[in-house]
């Protein structure tokens, strides 16, 4: 099972959304976790609302980054350039704006942008997996994801 870690500053919006999308889209072969360098006390209610609109639940609470999470991850993605990459050796650095204080519509746009980036990441990971084992069911699943 592939394990992905999404790191954010507060672990209240961007990384929580990415974790939810990854776990939804990669169910059965991948698992994501998220954390923050300075975790908030709660998930941003606007993030909870926009994910509920697409049928995904953001229950839980922000957590801090720790060595165990880093060690257990095959891939580490930083959610914005506002996070220093030097401490984490990230596999990916994404540049999503932090939505603190922005209107709900901006959070919806962020949700959809993160979904698209997570979808691309999953396709990339699956293609790497197919290099080692090529079977028809895997290709069918990949094509369903790409066309979704």
């Amino acid at each position: 099972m592939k394990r992905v870690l999404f790191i954010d500053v507060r672990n209240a919006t961007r990384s929580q959304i990415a974790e939810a999308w990854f776990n939804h889209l990669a169910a059965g072969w991948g698992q994501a976790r998220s954390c923050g360098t300075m975790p908030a006390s709660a998930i941003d209610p606007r993030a909870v609302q926009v994910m509920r609109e697409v049928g995904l639940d953001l229950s839980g609470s922000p957590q801090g980054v720790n060595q165990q999470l880093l060690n257990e991850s095959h891939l580490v993605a930083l959610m914005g350039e506002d996070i220093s990459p030097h401490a984490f050796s990230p596999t990916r650095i994404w540049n999503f704006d932090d939505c603190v204080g922005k209107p709900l519509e901006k959070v919806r746009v962020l949700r959809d942008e993160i979904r698209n980036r997570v979808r691309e990441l999953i396709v990339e990971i699956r293609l790497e997996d197919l290099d080692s084992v090529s079977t028809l069911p895997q290709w069918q699943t990949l094509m369903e994801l790409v066309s979704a």
Side-chain angles (χ1 to χ4, degrees):
M1 178 166 293
K2 295 289 182 180
R3 289 187 173 81
V4 176
L5 180 63
F6 296 103
I7 301 177
D8 201 347
V9 176
R10 296 174 41 248
N11 188 223
T13 305
R14 298 176 292 188
S15 55
Q16 292 283 345
I17 290 171
E19 176 185 359
W21 277 124
F22 189 92
N23 287 335
H24 174 72
L25 296 169
W29 67 266
Q31 180 184 32
R33 303 278 306 271
S34 66
C35 59
T37 57
M38 296 183 298
S41 59
I43 297 172
D44 185 332
R46 294 168 309 136
V48 173
Q49 179 179 340
V50 300
M51 293 305 282
R52 188 178 301 129
E53 292 172 0
V54 295
L56 297 179
D57 179 37
L58 287 188
S59 59
S61 58
Q63 66 174 329
V65 65
N66 63 59
Q67 195 61 47
Q68 182 177 349
L69 286 172
L70 292 166
N71 291 343
E72 292 173 349
S73 302
H74 296 99
L75 187 144
V76 174
L78 301 184
M79 297 305 296
E81 292 182 352
D82 54 337
I83 306 153
S84 176
H86 304 295
F88 304 112
S89 300
T91 313
R92 304 285 185 286
I93 300 174
W94 292 347
N95 191 24
F96 292 110
D97 289 334
D98 194 343
C99 281
V100 171
K102 295 190 179 170
L104 189 59
E105 186 53 41
K106 293 283 187 186
V107 182
R108 286 186 182 107
V109 169
L110 176 70
R111 172 198 64 201
D112 296 343
E113 289 174 349
I114 291 174
R115 179 196 59 222
N116 293 338
R117 183 70 61 88
V118 166
R119 191 180 282 155
E120 291 170 6
L121 177 64
I122 290 170
V123 169
E124 183 180 325
I125 293 169
R126 297 299 281 169
L127 286 173
E128 289 171 3
D129 288 349
L130 289 173
D131 283 343
S132 59
V133 179
S134 181
T135 64
L136 184 58
Q138 288 177 323
W139 276 107
Q140 289 172 331
T141 302
L142 180 60
M143 294 310 296
E144 289 169 6
L145 181 63
V146 170
S147 63

